[in-house]
């Protein structure tokens, strides 16, 4: 409809007028300088926003590069620390293995000594048991001899 109110073709540049569709060309021709001013103004504003965005982008890129360097440095530090831990653990494992071998040797010696001691104790026990048995036998014989002497069955002179 030619009388329908429509927005100006330069609305995005800042022209807020609403005009009849049939008057659009006339409006555009009469307002060329105004519209060019709006386009220029919006272009300058866009350029300023772009410059600000580019500046912000460069700052973010620098931050990102710095963060990347920091991460790399921390990764290298962590790798170096892990290598030191690995070396320390390896050293401790070697020391542990040496001590285990030494303890094993010491345990074998102690076990051998304990076995020898047990053998000696067993021999002594048998000797003591044998001596005890011999003592008991001697005591019985002495009691028997004593009884025989009292009963006069044993003569002092001969057999």
């Amino acid at each position: 409809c030619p009388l329908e109110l429509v927005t100006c073709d330069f609305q995005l540049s800042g022209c807020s007028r609403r005009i009849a569709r049939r008057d659009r060309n006339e409006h555009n021709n009469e307002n060329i300088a105004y519209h060019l001013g709006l386009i220029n103004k919006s272009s300058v504003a866009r350029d300023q926003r772009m410059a600000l965005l580019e500046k912000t982008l460069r700052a973010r890129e620098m931050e990102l590069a710095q963060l990347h360097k920091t991460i790399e440095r921390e990764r290298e530090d962590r790798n170096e620390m892990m290598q030191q831990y690995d070396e320390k653990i390896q050293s401790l494992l070697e020391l542990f293995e040496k001590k285990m071998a030494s303890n094993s040797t010491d345990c074998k010696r102690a076990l051998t000594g304990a076995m020898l001691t047990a053998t000696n104790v067993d021999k002594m026990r048998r000797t003591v048991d044998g001596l005890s048995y011999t003592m008991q036998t001697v005591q019985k014989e002495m009691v028997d001899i004593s009884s025989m002497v009292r009963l006069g069955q044993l003569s002092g002179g001969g057999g």
Side-chain angles (χ1 to χ4, degrees), residues 1 24 28 37 43 46 59 70 87 89 95 98 100 109 115 122-123 131 133 152:
C1 175
R24 184 184 301 174
N28 288 340
S43 176
R46 185 188 66 239
T70 301
E87 289 170 2
I89 288 172
L95 180 63
K98 286 178 185 175
M100 287 299 292
R109 283 190 209 132
M115 288 172 44
D122 192 46
K123 285 180 183 177
L131 290 174
Y133 179 76

Side-chain angles (χ1 to χ4, degrees), residues 57-72:
L57 179 61
R58 281 191 300 277
R60 295 293 186 251
E61 286 173 342
M62 289 175 61
E63 286 178 33
L64 185 60
Q66 191 61 36
L67 285 173
H68 182 71
K69 286 179 185 177
T70 301
I71 288 170
E72 275 304 309

Side-chain angles (χ1 to χ4, degrees), residues 19-134:
I19 46 176
R21 186 181 306 272
R22 70 176 177 196
D23 297 333
R24 184 184 301 174
N25 286 337
E26 182 182 336
H27 167 77
N28 288 340
N29 289 334
E30 289 174 357
N31 293 289
I32 290 176
Y34 174 69
H35 288 153
L36 285 176
L38 289 176
I39 290 171
N40 186 47
K41 185 178 176 184
S42 66
S43 176
V44 168
R46 185 188 66 239
D47 289 348
Q48 289 173 342
R49 282 192 312 271
M50 286 294 289
L52 180 63
L53 287 172
E54 287 174 355
K55 182 179 178 182
T56 303
L57 179 61
R58 281 191 300 277
R60 295 293 186 251
E61 286 173 342
M62 289 175 61
E63 286 178 33
L64 185 60
Q66 191 61 36
L67 285 173
H68 182 71
K69 286 179 185 177
T70 301
I71 288 170
E72 275 304 309
R73 196 169 44 250
E74 288 179 1
R75 182 178 290 140
E76 289 170 4
D77 290 347
R78 186 188 67 226
N79 287 342
E80 183 179 327
M81 186 173 46
M82 291 304 291
Q83 185 176 356
Q84 289 172 353
Y85 284 149
D86 286 346
E87 289 170 2
K88 183 69 174 176
I89 288 172
Q90 187 63 36
S91 170
L92 289 172
L93 283 173
E94 289 171 3
L95 180 63
F96 177 75
E97 288 172 355
K98 286 178 185 175
K99 287 192 177 211
M100 287 299 292
S102 174
N103 286 344
S104 177
T105 302
D106 292 346
C107 286
K108 286 178 184 176
R109 283 190 209 132
L111 184 58
T112 301
M115 288 172 44
L116 288 174
T117 301
T119 302
N120 289 341
V121 166
D122 192 46
K123 285 180 183 177
M124 283 196 242
R125 188 178 331 114
R126 279 188 253 136
T127 301
V128 168
D129 287 348
L131 290 174
S132 294
Y133 179 76
T134 302

Side-chain angles (χ1 to χ4, degrees), residues 60 143-144 153:
R60 295 293 186 251
V143 168
D144 289 347
Q153 295 177 349

